[in-house]
Amino acid sequence: AQSVTQLDSHVSVSEGTPVLLRCNYSSSYSPSLFWYVQHPNKGLQLLLKYTSAATLVKGINGFEAEFKKSETSFHLTKPSAHMSDAAEYFCVVRKNSGYALNFGKGTSLLVTP
Amino acid sequence: GAGVSQTPSNKVTEKGKYVELRCDPISGHTALYWYRQSLGQGPEFLIYFQGTGAADDSGLPNDRFFAVRPEGSVSTLKIQRTERGDSAVYLCASSLGSGISTDTQYFGPGTRLTVL
């Protein structure tokens, strides 16, 4: 079965410094992987999506993620954090059957001034 | 354009009561999904509709939970004999289709269900 593990439940960075949110996946074949962001009291928003077209995926708001098959990783990065990036981030893989998504437990990103 | 909408935004009920949660997907989206998010957790899949039919209901926790989408648009999630453990945010998502270029899921704001 497809699953993801988010390695950090909380990450704290200073404004203007790089962001790294780590995610490892488990999959029996080439997976579809996503990152979603959830701001307080707002709906989930898709940041980016990997579907095997390119290993480096660029998303919205300056975020990007790199698919590394050898490491079974799909880490999310951003060169310079902004205060508005503070939110909950979910790494997601599509389930084996059908089109349902399997979410990780989430990483809470705190950005300090 | 309009996104996915869910009503009500909040629902408080008593243990043992019946509740209905409504989802209006994005117009033209053929696929609709229900998820449940407990406090401090990621969303968990409940059920997926393609058109009017439930293509995958493997995530429904038990037979107290049921969902319908009679005309292939609006969907209702129904919970009978609610229990305190059903308290969570219920999320709905829709996608244009199920192919690689059309399967991005767009989420609604959720319905927060509290069972007292």
Side-chain angles (χ1 to χ4, degrees):
Chain A
Q2 316 276 54
S3 66
V4 290
T5 302
Q6 292 185 244
L7 301 175
D8 307 290
S9 59
H10 295 85
V11 169
S12 181
V13 301
S14 298
E15 188 177 19
T17 65
V19 175
L20 170 64
L21 305 183
R22 299 182 296 165
C23 174
N24 286 351
Y25 70 89
S26 170
S27 172
S28 55
Y29 55 91
S30 185
S32 290
L33 292 161
F34 310 77
W35 277 96
Y36 277 82
V37 62
Q38 189 174 39
H39 287 92
N41 300 316
K42 291 191 177 180
L44 284 157
Q45 181 183 21
L46 179 69
L47 278 178
L48 51 81
K49 167 183 173 181
Y50 166 77
T51 54
S52 76
T55 56
L56 183 62
V57 184
K58 293 189 182 299
I60 61 171
N61 300 334
F63 284 95
E64 62 182 37
E66 185 172 7
F67 175 76
K68 291 187 176 180
K69 187 175 180 179
S70 61
E71 299 177 8
T72 61
S73 69
F74 190 59
H75 302 335
L76 182 70
T77 60
K78 182 173 180 177
S80 176
H82 191 273
M83 296 297 290
S84 61
D85 293 329
E88 190 81 14
Y89 291 79
F90 293 98
C91 182
V92 184
V93 65
R94 185 185 310 308
K95 292 168 74 80
N96 261 339
S97 60
Y99 304 94
L101 300 178
N102 205 1
F103 284 74
K105 293 185 182 299
T107 297
S108 179
L109 176 64
L110 175 66
V111 182
T112 58
Chain B
V4 177
S5 62
Q6 293 184 246
T7 54
S9 55
N10 280 283
K11 176 70 177 179
V12 180
T13 191
E14 294 179 344
K15 180 175 178 294
K17 299 290 188 182
Y18 168 83
V19 297
E20 289 189 351
L21 311 179
R22 176 187 168 106
C23 172
D24 278 88
I26 294 172
S27 178
H29 280 196
T30 62
L32 185 145
Y33 312 78
W34 284 98
Y35 295 82
R36 177 169 71 174
Q37 186 174 20
S38 300
L39 194 63
Q41 301 294 318
E44 294 178 311
F45 167 73
L46 295 176
I47 186 169
Y48 153 57
F49 287 90
Q50 182 60 49
T52 60
D56 181 359
D57 65 357
S58 62
L60 294 177
N62 51 60
D63 61 6
R64 295 187 297 106
F65 288 75
F66 189 71
V68 295
R69 194 185 185 202
E71 298 178 357
S73 178
V74 170
S75 176
T76 304
L77 179 66
K78 308 181 181 194
I79 311 174
Q80 298 178 318
R81 304 183 304 280
T82 52
E83 299 177 357
R84 292 195 179 88
D86 298 336
S87 297
V89 176
Y90 288 81
L91 297 168
C92 178
S94 70
S95 66
L96 184 61
S98 53
I100 285 182
S101 62
T102 60
D103 64 353
T104 297
Q105 293 184 29
Y106 298 89
F107 283 80
T111 293
R112 182 176 298 278
L113 176 65
T114 303
V115 182
L116 301 176

